[in-house]
Amino acid sequence: MESSYDTSWFDRHSASSFMRLMPRLRARFKDIPEADWQAYTMRLERHFPRLFRLLHRLYSSHYDFFYHLENLLTTATEMWIQRSDELKALDAIRENDPNWYQSHSLIGYILYVDLFAGNLGSVRARIPYLKELGVTYLHLMPLFKSPAGDNDGGYAISSYREVDEELGTMAQLAELAGDLRNHNISLCLDFVFNHTSDEHEWAKKALAGDRDCQEYYRMYDDRTIPDQYEKTVKSVFPDEHPGCFTYRNRIKKWVWTTFKNYQWDLNYENPAVFNRMAEELMFLGNQGVEILRLDAVAFLWKKLGTTCENLPEAHLLIQAFNAVVRIVAPAMVFKSEAIVHPDEVARYISEDECQVSYNPLLMALLWSSLASRDAKFLRHCLQKRFALPQGCAWANYVRCHDDIGWTFSDDDAREIHIDPTAHRKFLIEFYTGRHAASFASGLPFQENPTTGDARISGSCASLAGLERALQENNPAAIELAIRRILLLYGVIFTIGGVPLIYAGDEIAVLNDHSYEKDPEKDGDTRWVHRAVFNWEKAELRTQPDTPEGRVFAGLLKLARVRQNNFAFTRSETEIIDTGNEHVLGYFRQHQEQNVLVLANFAESEQPIAATRLRQLGLRRTFTDIIAGKNVTAAATLLMEPCQFMVLVGARG
Ligand code: GLC
């Protein structure tokens, strides 16, 4: 696509547009002191050509392209003016250290404000708990105004400028962001920009017949066009409604609703929508958000005859938002939430698009490896796909608020003689506890009885076997379950990227079935792992003989290992063949230090040949900084069941 554009024409066109717009902008904001204006316009000048090129590709067919462009720059400038001095200072710091999110100091934590603490004020009171765990990045799940009752866990937003009144106010959110910053914790919030709720002001106006607002969404008078789209678009929540349209009889129109029927997809073909959403985005940046989680990026653009997922225009849109942020709020970076085929996940990741991305492949394959007690598939995929472009980072996770989808590449599986369909079937049976070798207590999510396809819900501890082991009162099984949890967390803390702890995992929270009694939640099994945080259970974290205490202490150790070793900062990961298919191995190499990480996915002892280790450059004796022991590998290094090791003493 890129090559069909004549760059020199663009440069000229962009430069002349800039020259035309700048005096008008200056005239509008004539009160800004010259020195401040200069600093701002330097950034504007730097990023304008990119922004111009992207918007031109998206919207140049609109006769009023320049009108929208000027509007966008005016809003951007207003937003920059409103930005606090403190955040502007942070902008300057981050411009000097633009890849700050690659640092080993980052440890993330994900929580729902109401479930964790009740409201924003109480989250503030819990900062010491987060500090205790070493958290430096906090993702607050959607906390905006949204419809009462079912609202997809807050992912149906009625106003990006108002916090749900039960949780607090926007002023409290900004205050909390400031407090967190003072504690060296960066705030992460969602930007749910594929859709709004049907109670958003724009949707309400659209329902009342306002044509302009109807243009903000994708609406059709009859089924002709929806039927054509549905030939190629797949249903994301098939349990919820078939296809991807919902009929609203008040306006007698079919509205595009990829997710739930009250989540209306925005129409980004309309440049006004881009501008309005850019404004909402900058508003969030001005509240002190440092990592913006871009929700459901795959669905932003639609085109007849395609799956309407991951279209090139979706990337252009995000890149254009990225350029806006570089101008107005460079302290903020994007994290993409693309839970799609790994080839597509990778396409969202670059410094000009999303600097950080969830790593759904690592997540799914960690669970896959635990089930098969074998790291071969994981190693194969990581060797192919773990490396990222310069300046980017993975957000690695074991669990999050969503289900686990088996989004690996079928080709990757076939390359190592794994039948992808049979393997997915195995994983579904395994994690729903239907397989004979299973230790897991998971639930199916969006199960399709025709194809047998399903995703999995369940808490980390329940999926890792702790629930069953405790029910059976089986100490050996409890031991293994705890080791599995720490093995998975061990990998995400050390493999490269930002590790994210899902609230409750650190105290081995089990599945909570109480949602089944709530008619608003029943049927959406994801609520089984969205429990009210149990602070009494959290008290047990100091008792070393409890699962809570063991998992908590294990995570603390991982946090210390990560934050105190150079090998985990801005360093390269080299995935290696350990010579034992049950054991995943990788080097983390930094100029100051190298470590070799080993993770045994089997429930039996596993040997690594000492000759293999020496071939990899290890000395005869090295230190495992997880166990705090020196290890001498004469003939073999014997790993315990599900053991996780970080070996110092590797080649330089
Ligand atoms: C994302 C969220 C998920 C939500 C969906 C629709 O995938 O993680 O929870 O249902 O977007 O907003």
Side-chain angles (χ1 to χ4, degrees):
M1 252 177 126
E2 194 77 30
S3 58
S4 62
Y5 281 81
D6 173 349
T7 0
S8 62
W9 179 87
F10 249 98
D11 289 348
R12 268 181 282 123
H13 204 34
S14 147
S16 72
S17 310
F18 189 72
M19 304 282 275
R20 220 163 85 198
L21 288 167
M22 283 317 282
R24 295 162 63 101
L25 215 56
R26 186 57 173 133
R28 196 187 282 254
F29 299 104
K30 55 181 179 309
D31 297 339
I32 304 294
E34 189 54 29
D36 292 353
W37 186 253
Q38 287 290 332
Y40 170 67
T41 49
M42 252 169 64
R43 287 211 301 257
L44 185 55
E45 197 169 345
R46 194 158 118 224
H47 297 285
F48 180 82
R50 184 161 74 96
L51 180 63
F52 178 81
R53 183 173 46 83
L54 292 161
L55 293 177
H56 198 271
R57 284 173 68 181
L58 286 162
Y59 301 121
S60 60
S61 61
H62 290 256
Y63 75 93
D64 50 0
F65 172 73
F66 277 96
Y67 162 81
H68 289 292
L69 181 63
E70 185 168 354
N71 267 349
L72 177 66
L73 292 190
T74 305
T75 314
T77 310
E78 279 163 358
M79 285 302 188
W80 166 73
I81 292 168
Q82 286 169 24
R83 197 159 166 80
S84 70
D85 288 346
E86 204 192 321
L87 289 172
K88 284 181 178 155
L90 187 65
D91 289 335
I93 294 172
R94 292 284 159 75
E95 284 199 289
N96 276 316
D97 180 21
N99 303 133
W100 57 278
Y101 43 82
Q102 291 180 323
S103 160
H104 60 161
S105 67
L106 256 76
I107 293 180
Y109 193 81
I110 313 165
L111 63 86
Y112 283 93
V113 171
D114 54 344
L115 300 178
F116 184 74
N119 57 38
L120 288 171
S122 318
V123 170
R124 227 169 144 186
R126 294 293 185 187
I127 292 177
Y129 178 80
L130 301 173
K131 296 290 289 180
E132 186 184 332
L133 202 49
V135 170
T136 52
Y137 157 139
L138 182 64
H139 178 189
L140 300 180
M141 294 296 290
L143 40 69
F144 301 97
K145 185 172 168 189
S146 53
D150 186 14
N151 54 32
D152 193 23
Y155 279 97
I157 291 183
S158 304
S159 166
Y160 298 89
R161 308 233 177 171
E162 285 166 83
V163 167
D164 173 355
E165 3 179 273
E166 307 265 303
L167 305 180
T169 62
M170 199 44 94
Q172 282 178 326
L173 177 66
E175 233 173 273
L176 175 64
D179 271 354
L180 290 169
R181 210 164 32 251
N182 291 338
H183 283 98
N184 205 16
I185 300 177
S186 297
L187 176 64
C188 168
L189 285 189
D190 282 82
F191 188 46
V192 185
F193 67 135
N194 175 68
H195 44 266
T196 73
S197 89
D198 60 357
E199 293 183 13
H200 190 282
E201 188 198 337
W202 305 334
K204 284 207 248 179
K205 285 190 181 160
L207 276 173
D210 181 318
R211 295 260 166 213
D212 283 345
C213 284
Q214 289 183 353
E215 294 283 308
Y216 278 32
Y217 300 95
R218 291 179 173 266
M219 301 188 166
Y220 305 91
D221 293 332
D222 56 41
R223 286 290 311 180
T224 320
I225 298 177
D227 282 343
Q228 288 172 20
Y229 272 113
E230 280 182 359
K231 284 192 189 131
T232 49
V233 175
K234 75 167 194 278
S235 213
V236 178
F237 285 162
D239 285 1
E240 145 68 28
H241 61 77
C244 45
F245 295 89
T246 302
Y247 186 65
R248 295 303 289 249
N249 68 342
R250 196 158 142 210
I251 44 173
K252 304 209 171 345
K253 286 185 195 296
W254 289 90
V255 184
W256 198 306
T257 53
T258 298
F259 296 92
K260 307 253 176 156
N261 62 8
Y262 48 81
Q263 287 165 307
W264 288 13
D265 288 47
L266 286 161
N267 172 20
Y268 279 99
E269 273 177 61
N270 178 354
V273 170
F274 179 86
N275 284 6
R276 300 295 294 272
M277 290 305 285
E279 192 176 337
E280 304 309 294
L281 182 158
M282 291 180 272
F283 176 83
L284 293 180
N286 282 357
Q287 308 315 304
V289 176
E290 296 179 39
I291 303 112
L292 197 66
R293 173 192 184 274
L294 301 190
D295 181 64
V297 290
F299 304 92
L300 293 175
W301 198 268
K302 334 288 189 202
K303 192 173 165 195
L304 213 56
T306 71
T307 59
C308 296
E309 286 186 35
N310 307 306
L311 293 176
E313 289 83 354
H315 294 280
L316 300 180
L317 280 170
I318 302 170
Q319 289 167 22
F321 282 128
N322 174 303
V324 171
V325 169
R326 296 275 75 74
I327 296 165
V328 178
M332 185 161 81
V333 295
F334 289 169
K335 174 176 70 166
S336 72
E337 191 246 354
I339 314 301
V340 287
H341 188 285
D343 287 347
E344 299 295 347
V345 173
R347 294 199 175 102
Y348 292 94
I349 312 171
S350 78
E351 282 187 283
D352 285 345
E353 196 166 333
C354 295
Q355 299 91 334
V356 182
S357 164
Y358 278 109
N359 194 345
L361 182 66
L362 176 64
M363 183 279 294
L365 292 185
L366 283 171
W367 289 106
S368 159
S369 307
L370 274 189
S372 59
R373 281 87 165 167
D374 172 324
K376 200 168 71 184
F377 191 24
L378 177 59
R379 167 166 60 92
H380 178 68
C381 295
L382 291 178
Q383 274 174 335
K384 278 180 78 170
R385 299 179 183 276
F386 191 75
L388 283 182
Q390 189 73 24
C392 296
W394 289 114
N396 294 319
Y397 63 115
V398 170
R399 288 300 292 118
C400 70
H401 70 291
D402 274 331
D403 48 288
I404 301 176
W406 308 111
T407 56
F408 53 79
S409 146
D410 290 5
D411 291 337
D412 290 358
R414 285 192 205 100
E415 277 158 17
I416 54 160
H417 313 295
I418 291 176
D419 172 346
T421 312
H423 190 58
R424 282 200 184 88
K425 189 162 171 272
F426 159 71
L427 292 170
I428 293 165
E429 284 185 2
F430 191 95
Y431 282 107
T432 49
R434 297 171 196 154
H435 192 279
S438 177
F439 45 72
S441 315
L443 297 176
F445 177 67
Q446 300 289 332
E447 191 165 27
N448 180 334
T450 329
T451 59
D453 192 27
R455 284 121 73 181
I456 299 293
S457 294
S459 78
C460 172
S462 289
L463 293 177
L466 190 62
E467 188 171 327
R468 277 214 207 173
L470 288 170
Q471 273 160 7
E472 290 162 9
N473 199 9
N474 177 342
I478 294 175
E479 174 65 31
L480 273 177
I482 293 171
R483 286 185 181 208
R484 287 189 199 105
I485 298 170
L486 294 177
L487 178 78
L488 298 195
Y489 268 99
V491 174
I492 67 154
F493 267 69
T494 55
I495 195 163
V498 187
L500 304 180
I501 304 169
Y502 182 59
D505 284 4
E506 75 280 16
I507 49 164
V509 158
L510 302 178
N511 286 346
D512 175 1
H513 288 270
S514 59
Y515 78 99
E516 289 161 7
K517 291 184 211 88
D518 181 342
E520 304 288 1
K521 294 178 178 160
D522 187 27
D524 187 336
T525 57
R526 291 177 300 176
W527 288 99
V528 84
H529 54 257
R530 297 174 183 171
V532 174
F533 195 87
N534 186 336
W535 287 99
E536 261 169 44
K537 195 170 156 65
E539 289 297 312
L540 298 174
R541 70 187 185 278
T542 51
Q543 296 189 20
D545 50 346
T546 60
E548 292 81 356
R550 293 205 37 209
V551 172
F552 197 87
L555 288 193
L556 282 187
K557 186 185 285 174
L558 289 171
R560 269 200 309 276
V561 163
R562 176 180 165 85
Q563 290 175 330
N564 291 318
N565 284 284
F566 280 115
F568 303 112
T569 208
R570 301 166 207 259
S571 53
E572 284 194 7
T573 305
E574 189 191 338
I575 312 288
I576 55 146
D577 180 355
T578 60
N580 180 328
E581 293 191 341
H582 303 283
V583 181
L584 177 74
Y586 47 87
F587 279 109
R588 295 303 313 275
Q589 323 201 56
H590 184 272
Q591 59 202 32
E592 301 285 331
Q593 188 195 31
N594 291 292
V595 301
L596 174 64
V597 179
L598 296 175
N600 175 15
F601 284 86
E603 289 155 7
S604 52
E605 285 187 339
Q606 290 298 324
I608 308 284
T611 46
R612 177 80 189 125
L613 292 172
R614 280 193 276 281
Q615 197 179 31
L616 291 168
L618 255 79
R619 297 181 202 118
R620 211 181 157 82
T621 301
F622 34 77
T623 310
D624 170 14
I625 52 176
I626 294 292
K629 280 188 192 151
N630 280 347
V631 186
T632 303
T636 52
L637 168 68
L638 204 56
M639 292 190 76
E640 289 175 20
C642 295
Q643 189 177 7
F644 178 74
M645 290 178 139
V646 175
L647 305 179
V648 180
R651 67 181 167 180

